[in-house]
Amino acid sequence: QTLGGGTTPAFEGLMQNEDPDWPGDGEGGDLKSVGTVTFTCMVILLAYKVLYESRSLVHGRWPAFTCRKNVGEGVLSRLAYTWVSITYFSIGFYLFFICIYQLLGRRGPSAFSRFVDTTNHVFGMRSMSWLLVVFVPVTGMIFDVTGKVYSNMFYPTQTQIHLEIESKGKTKARLQ
């Protein structure tokens, strides 16, 4: 018996909880699955755009916590704020709450009852979801960066022109 390449996951292990009495495991053509994957891609793409557009990455220093007392800078000066906020407070917060939504639906009839086990189904049984979550935001950023590079090269704004003049003056001052 073959189920066809389009409806089965490509990787071993994702279908470990497959039940032959419940067909449809690993398939994802319904609106809940597609919507969850689409919104996940949008959240990750937004996180990438914030990192790219903000131009104010705070990398911090590793390790953020030291065991020395009253030596050097404190933990608040060493923490990588940008990476912590994107990882934990944006993507992590989103993933935590889509899991909470499916648990809220189990408590009885409510607005969340349609999402019972949607997260487990989408991220636990479909390899295509993971491929889309990885490649769609990266592809989106490639198009965004390519378009911005093209527009900045051939149609610069006044701010970019002034920044270029300022950097040219700094380079000339360094050489003298």
Side-chain angles (χ1 to χ4, degrees), residues 11-157:
F11 306 110
E12 283 294 320
L14 279 178
M15 292 294 289
Q16 65 187 356
N17 297 324
E18 181 182 22
D19 187 359
D21 295 330
W22 291 88
D25 287 346
E27 296 179 2
D30 62 327
L31 285 176
K32 292 182 289 188
S33 298
V34 172
T36 302
V37 171
T38 302
F39 196 72
T40 304
C41 290
M42 295 296 284
V43 166
I44 293 173
L45 180 65
L46 177 69
Y48 287 164
K49 279 195 66 69
V50 166
L51 286 174
Y52 179 71
E53 295 285 338
S54 67
R55 296 182 185 168
S56 61
L57 294 178
V58 178
H59 296 293
R61 288 199 166 166
W62 181 259
F65 299 97
T66 59
C67 295
R68 295 180 289 177
K69 188 174 183 180
N70 298 327
V71 176
E73 54 204 7
V75 66
L76 296 179
S77 298
R78 297 176 65 94
L79 196 60
Y81 286 105
T82 309
W83 299 105
V84 168
S85 64
I86 289 294
T87 305
Y88 295 113
F89 298 129
S90 183
I91 297 171
F93 190 77
Y94 168 71
L95 292 175
F96 174 74
F97 271 98
I98 62 171
C99 293
I100 293 297
Y101 290 152
Q102 76 176 4
L103 295 176
L104 288 175
R106 291 180 183 171
R107 298 180 73 193
S110 69
F112 299 110
S113 58
R114 295 180 302 215
F115 295 103
V116 172
D117 291 331
T118 299
T119 306
N120 288 341
H121 173 76
V122 168
F123 294 120
M125 296 186 176
R126 294 193 67 225
S127 58
M128 186 60 70
S129 299
W130 287 106
L131 290 171
L132 288 170
V133 165
V134 169
F135 289 115
V136 167
V138 170
T139 305
M141 282 306 295
I142 288 171
F143 279 112
D144 184 49
V145 170
T146 304
K148 284 189 187 334
V149 166
Y150 178 80
S151 71
N152 291 344
M153 283 174 55
F154 297 108
Y155 307 104
T157 63

